[in-house]
């Protein structure tokens, strides 16, 4: 819900930013922009824009009227004062006298008049803000307003809902023409508090930041009240949906979708690995259960700029599969995805034919997938991008339901949709940064809350991978995940329990869509001479150091085969597997068995494109080699702890970070399997050859 204006909070912003030389009105602009940006029902992921008209001093110390307007790349939820770059106001207003202005000329004029030429490009709607006379101007893509603005009779509805409080602007693509039309709509009645842009969103304005903000909330609330009157119709859409599938089947279905996307991407020349983000709530479930879902999905996005994140329509798949029905479901998913790709190619061809300048087709894969009984699934090159698509999918579902409750959801048509999707000014918002080496990969690390596990997770995250940590203590594991990245997943998992392993991997698939690399790292060094070991203690060592790795590997291979993209299985084996030490028989024998397991998996799954490699490390400060154990061993050898830890050919202590880099290197060796990479500084008895 939107937050009410707080004078104390506003004053705090003014005081904090005054210490950095920020004028009061820009500080207040920052405060109210954040209030708007933090409400998903108003603004999502860089959408919306805000401005304030003020003055700044130039190099001659003369006061210059400027428009401080949201800059490209800034998000209202977290915007800082520099996110509203200052543009000379009078030259912007002078542009209104022109009969026409190309997009390129508009952008050039805006950049020419920046007070700071290093500032980001001003918003594509800068001129609309400039042509309005008010000091503060706010623009959002409110779900409630869009549900009204996306109606075939939206103008009449606007008059019914807001009366003379708003001007109504027909749909025009953002830019010079829309700015002129908006100014003209305002001038027809300068007493209006805002503008409704059909098929687009809402503007509010005022002499103070508070006035503009509260007008925005009031206009949105009026739309919400109107929608609420239609609650009987809205409730009729609450149709019973399919029974939600068991978690394991949900995870399998998402891994299968990821595989389908990979196959379609390969055929289209696009990147083959994609990250998924599943969403399910009451509104999503109601929409996906609607018999008209396919037709509703094809109508388009709720506000034009969402096409950049989700394309023009979602891929609709069959209801989520049940146990035993996955194979047939995958076949139908592949067929529907192929039809989606063909449909996108046809859409591009139809619309590119009318373009004055031929376009280059973007990849034809969906960015939003609707699966009745499972939810809406965002698709992206990273978990962040997938989350953006999923968030916008949630907003789309909410808008469609509300629009259908009062009439008919009818957003912009295909031609307008194409023009926005292929508009260079909008595409520039997305950025074209190159992927990191392991971007689009999902990495699972067992023993993830331990020293080596956490170091490994951080090393993979630095390479661009999405991270899931599994460990016995859920609280510690979630804390470890938070230390890796904001989007890393931390799960409680007992790797000695196959059911716990399966449930954890299903959660990983629900979160990211699948698994690409597994670092099977969990283990413990149980000590004692073999002849003195109880059967119980020896079996406990094998349960953790052998059978647990088998459970992890078996589940990982099952999912990797389902995805059909290969993958990497990496095991923390230890030098004990090849160079056993006295009184470490329980550990050494179980690790030797693990090394044999590594070779067996490499032998059996090369045909699946799954690479299986091991890391043999020694003398790493961790939960296995504690400070107490280091002190005991160094004393027994009559050397200092430092000399004990660096007792290798290189004379260097080997760190957890070194082991982590060995795992990363193994994951990136695309034509290596059955390999053992030793990380011990050079221990002759443990050399593999």
């Amino acid at each position: 819900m939107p937050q009410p204006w707080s004078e104390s909070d506003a004053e705090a912003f003014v005081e904090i930013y005054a210490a950095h030389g920020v004028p009061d009105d820009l500080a207040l602009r920052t405060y109210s922009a954040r209030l708007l940006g933090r409400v998903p029902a108003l603004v999502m992921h860089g959408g919306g824009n805000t401005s304030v008209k003020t003055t700044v001093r130039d190099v001659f110390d003369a006061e210059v009227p400027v428009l401080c307007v949201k800059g490209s790349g800034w998000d209202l939820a977290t915007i800082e004062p520099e996110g509203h770059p200052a543009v000379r106001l009078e030259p912007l207003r002078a542009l209104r006298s022109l009969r026409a202005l190309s997009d390129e000329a508009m952008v050039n004029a805006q950049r020419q008049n920046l007070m700071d030429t290093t500032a980001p490009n001003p918003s594509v709607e800068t001129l609309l803000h400039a042509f309005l006379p008010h000091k503060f101007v706010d623009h959002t893509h409110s779900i409630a307003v869009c549900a009204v603005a996306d109606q075939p009779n939206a103008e009449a509805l606007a008059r019914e809902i807001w009366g003379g409080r708003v001007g109504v602007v027909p749909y025009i693509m953002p830019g010079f023409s829309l700015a002129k039309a908006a100014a003209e709509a305002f001038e027809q009645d300068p007493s209006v508090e805002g503008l409704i842009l059909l098929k687009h969103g809402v503007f509010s304005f005022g002499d103070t930041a508070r006035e503009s903000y509260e007008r925005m909330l009031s206009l949105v609330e009026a739309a919400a009240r109107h929608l609420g009157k239609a609650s009987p119709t809205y409730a009729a859409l609450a149709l019973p949906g399919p029974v939600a599938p068991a978690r394991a089947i949900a995870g399998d279905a998402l891994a299968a979708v990821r595989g389908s996307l990979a196959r379609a991407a390969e055929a289209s020349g696009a990147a083959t690995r994609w990250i998924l983000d599943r969403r399910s709530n009451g509104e999503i479930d109601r929409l996906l259960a609607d018999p008209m879902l396919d037709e509703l999905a094809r109508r388009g996005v709720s506000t034009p700029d969402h096409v950049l994140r989700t394309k023009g329509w979602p891929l609709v798949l069959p209801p989520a599969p049940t146990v035993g029905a996955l194979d047939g479901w995958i076949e139908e998913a592949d067929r529907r995805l192929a039809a989606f790709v063909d449909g996108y190619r046809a859409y591009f061809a139809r619309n590119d034919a009318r373009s004055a300048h031929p376009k280059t087709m973007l990849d034809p894969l969906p960015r939003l997938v609707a699966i009745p009984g499972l939810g809406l699934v965002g698709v992206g090159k990273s978990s962040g991008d997938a989350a953006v698509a999923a968030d916008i999918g949630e907003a789309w579902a909410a808008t469609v339901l509300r629009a259908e409750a009062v009439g008919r959801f009818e957003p912009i048509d295909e031609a307008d949709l194409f023009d926005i999707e292929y508009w260079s000014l909008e595409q520039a918002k997305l950025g074209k940064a190159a992927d990191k080496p392991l971007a689009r990969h999902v990495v699972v690390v067992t023993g993830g809350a331990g020293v080596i596990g956490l170091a490994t997770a951080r090393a993979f995250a630095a390479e661009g991978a999405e991270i899931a940590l599994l460990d016995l203590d859920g609280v510690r594991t979630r804390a470890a995940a938070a230390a890796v990245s904001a989007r890393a997943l931390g799960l409680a998992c007992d790797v000695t329990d196959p059911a716990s392993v399966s449930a954890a991997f299903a959660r990983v698939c629900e979160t990211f869509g699948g698994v690409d690399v597994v670092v099977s790292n969990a283990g413990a060094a149980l000590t004692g001479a073999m002849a003195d070991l109880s059967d119980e203690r020896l079996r406990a060592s094998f349960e953790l150091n052998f059978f647990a790795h088998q459970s992890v590997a078996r589940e990982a291979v099952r999912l990797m085969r389902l995805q059909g993209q290969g993958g990497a299985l990496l095991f923390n084996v230890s030098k004990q597997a090849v160079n056993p030490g006295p009184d470490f028989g329980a550990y050494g024998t179980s690790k030797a068995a693990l090394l044999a397991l590594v070779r067996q998996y490499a032998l059996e799954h090369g045909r699946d494109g799954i690479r299986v490699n091991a890391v043999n490390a020694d003398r790493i400060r961790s939960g296995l080699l504690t400070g107490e154990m280091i002190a005991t061993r160094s004393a027994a050898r009559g050397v200092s702890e430092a000399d004990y830890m660096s007792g290798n050919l290189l004379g260097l202590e080997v760190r957890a970070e070194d082991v982590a880099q060995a795992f990363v290197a193994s994951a990136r060796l695309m034509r290596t399997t059955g390999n053992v990479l030793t990380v011990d500084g050079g221990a002759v008895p443990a050399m593999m050859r």
Side-chain angles (χ1 to χ4, degrees):
M1 294 293 293
Q3 294 181 18
W5 181 276
S6 166
E7 281 297 336
S8 60
D9 287 350
E11 290 169 5
F13 267 68
V14 169
E15 183 177 347
I16 290 169
Y17 284 115
H20 300 281
V22 176
D24 292 1
D25 47 11
L26 185 53
L28 291 170
R29 173 69 287 169
T30 304
Y31 169 61
S32 61
R34 287 192 192 177
L35 288 180
L36 293 170
R38 290 172 180 172
V39 183
L42 298 178
V43 173
M44 301 192 97
H45 301 294
N49 40 72
T50 49
S51 69
V52 60
K53 298 176 181 73
T54 184
T55 60
V56 299
R57 293 192 175 276
D58 64 14
V59 293
F60 301 106
D61 201 33
E63 281 199 347
V64 179
V66 295
L67 175 74
C68 293
V69 63
K70 180 196 164 190
S72 178
W74 283 89
D75 191 318
L76 292 183
T78 56
I79 201 163
E80 294 287 348
E82 57 266 32
H84 286 96
V87 193
R88 293 177 185 270
L89 182 57
E90 293 312 317
L92 295 183
R93 284 179 165 165
L95 294 174
R96 189 178 171 191
S97 65
L98 299 175
R99 293 184 61 185
L101 185 67
S102 70
D103 293 334
E104 293 76 13
M106 179 184 74
V107 171
N108 188 51
Q110 291 173 180
R111 285 212 62 81
Q112 283 178 331
N113 286 287
L114 281 167
M115 297 299 291
D116 178 359
T117 58
T118 65
N121 279 336
S123 165
V124 297
E125 287 166 325
T126 291
L127 294 186
L128 198 161
H129 288 259
F131 293 171
L132 292 171
H134 305 81
K135 186 175 181 66
F136 288 88
V137 179
D138 297 338
H139 171 44
T140 76
H141 302 140
S142 155
I143 288 174
V145 171
C146 284
V148 174
D150 286 338
Q151 296 289 330
N153 62 334
E155 183 169 1
L157 272 176
R159 299 302 180 199
E160 177 185 341
I161 295 169
W162 293 288
R165 296 178 62 195
V166 300
V168 179
V169 184
Y171 178 76
I172 301 171
M173 189 167 165
F176 179 68
S177 296
L178 175 61
K180 290 189 73 170
E184 290 164 4
F186 165 74
E187 288 165 357
Q188 289 176 15
D189 182 0
S191 69
V192 297
E193 302 170 17
L195 298 172
I196 301 301
L197 276 58
L198 302 186
K199 319 286 189 191
H200 185 157
V202 55
F203 274 81
S204 65
F205 26 73
D207 293 331
T208 67
R210 179 171 186 168
E211 183 178 44
S212 186
Y213 175 70
E214 291 184 340
R215 282 178 169 178
M216 175 63 72
L217 298 192
S218 177
L219 294 173
V220 170
E221 176 57 29
R225 282 197 304 272
H226 179 81
L227 295 171
K229 293 176 184 176
S231 56
T233 307
Y234 179 71
L237 292 175
L239 303 171
V243 176
R247 170 161 283 161
I249 297 300
D252 286 2
L254 290 171
V257 168
R258 197 163 180 247
S260 292
L261 287 167
R263 289 187 289 276
E266 187 173 18
S268 303
T272 57
R273 292 186 190 273
W274 296 88
I275 306 300
L276 309 184
D277 186 319
R278 182 180 79 93
R279 302 295 174 85
S280 180
N281 59 38
E283 290 193 335
I284 288 173
D285 293 345
R286 283 196 290 273
L287 179 60
L288 300 193
D290 194 306
M292 291 178 59
L293 174 61
D294 286 276
E295 196 269 331
L296 289 170
R298 285 291 309 184
R299 291 188 196 168
V301 294
S302 56
T303 192
D305 71 345
H306 286 179
V307 70
L308 301 176
R309 300 290 194 169
T310 63
K311 293 196 178 289
W313 60 94
L315 165 66
V316 179
L317 292 183
T322 55
V323 176
L326 186 60
D327 289 345
W329 188 84
I330 293 173
E331 289 180 9
E332 178 62 12
D334 282 347
R335 187 192 68 77
R336 293 199 188 189
L337 178 54
F340 181 98
V341 169
D342 289 343
Y344 186 88
R345 291 183 187 279
Y347 150 83
F348 177 83
R350 282 193 302 274
N351 290 281
D352 189 47
R354 62 179 175 78
S355 298
H357 304 287
K359 313 289 187 184
T360 299
M361 192 181 76
L362 302 170
D363 81 73
L365 301 179
R367 295 299 190 272
L368 192 64
V369 181
I371 309 174
L374 187 58
L376 282 172
V377 180
V379 180
K381 66 181 182 180
S382 67
S383 60
D385 282 352
V388 168
D391 286 345
I392 290 174
E394 285 194 58
W396 169 76
T399 306
V400 171
L401 285 175
R402 285 158 177 75
E404 287 290 296
V406 297
R408 174 182 168 82
F409 175 63
E410 192 175 281
I412 59 173
D413 62 23
E414 180 183 283
D416 289 325
L417 193 71
F418 179 86
D419 290 344
I420 288 289
E421 183 177 6
Y422 282 86
W423 190 24
S424 60
L425 300 191
E426 290 289 83
Q427 282 293 325
K429 294 180 180 180
L430 299 181
K432 306 296 180 184
D435 285 346
K436 290 185 176 181
L438 291 175
R440 304 172 181 264
H441 287 69
V442 179
V443 178
V444 177
V445 182
T446 70
V451 175
I452 292 175
L454 181 55
T456 300
R458 283 176 165 150
F460 275 102
E463 297 291 313
E466 311 296 340
I467 305 299
L469 302 182
L470 312 184
D471 214 320
L472 198 57
D473 186 329
V475 174
R476 284 187 62 224
T477 309
R478 287 188 290 275
V484 172
S485 77
R487 303 203 66 85
L489 177 66
L491 297 174
C493 177
D494 180 357
V495 291
T496 66
D497 177 2
S500 180
V501 170
S502 294
F505 272 87
R507 281 286 305 280
V508 173
C509 290
E510 286 189 84
T511 304
F512 299 120
V515 175
D516 299 296
V517 178
V518 173
V519 180
S520 194
N521 166 69
L526 278 70
T527 59
M530 287 297 290
D532 299 328
L533 280 175
S534 66
D535 287 349
E536 181 182 20
R537 188 167 179 80
L538 183 59
R539 286 194 174 94
S541 183
F542 269 79
E543 284 293 336
L544 179 57
N545 296 315
F546 175 78
F547 286 108
H549 291 276
Q550 160 64 0
S551 294
V552 168
R554 181 172 54 208
E555 188 63 17
V557 165
R558 189 183 69 81
L559 291 169
M560 288 175 183
R561 293 168 98 178
L562 191 56
Q563 295 169 152
Q565 296 178 268
L569 277 177
L570 309 175
F571 296 85
N572 189 341
V573 173
S574 167
K575 75 100 182 179
Q576 287 286 333
V578 294
N579 178 218
D583 296 330
F584 274 83
Y587 185 56
T589 54
S590 57
K591 286 292 189 177
L594 176 58
L595 181 56
L597 186 73
V598 171
R599 289 167 170 158
Q600 197 67 32
Y601 268 91
L603 177 69
E604 294 174 356
H605 295 290
R607 62 180 176 268
D608 297 315
I610 299 172
R611 294 162 288 117
V612 187
N613 296 302
V615 170
N616 280 3
D618 188 34
R619 297 191 187 182
I620 313 298
R621 294 180 190 270
S622 67
L624 297 180
L625 185 59
T626 62
E628 181 181 356
M629 188 177 294
I630 292 169
T632 301
R633 288 186 176 183
S634 58
R637 288 164 174 75
V639 298
S640 69
E641 292 185 17
D643 286 343
Y644 171 75
M645 294 301 292
S646 60
N648 52 54
L649 295 179
L650 295 178
L652 297 171
E653 179 175 341
V654 182
R655 306 158 303 172
E657 291 76 13
D658 300 315
V659 181
Q661 289 303 323
F663 280 124
V664 170
S666 295
R668 294 185 62 183
L669 292 172
M670 301 306 295
R671 287 169 173 78
T672 300
T673 193
N675 183 55
V676 179
L677 186 56
T678 301
V679 187
D680 59 11
V684 174
M687 288 182 176
M688 296 299 294
R689 294 181 179 176

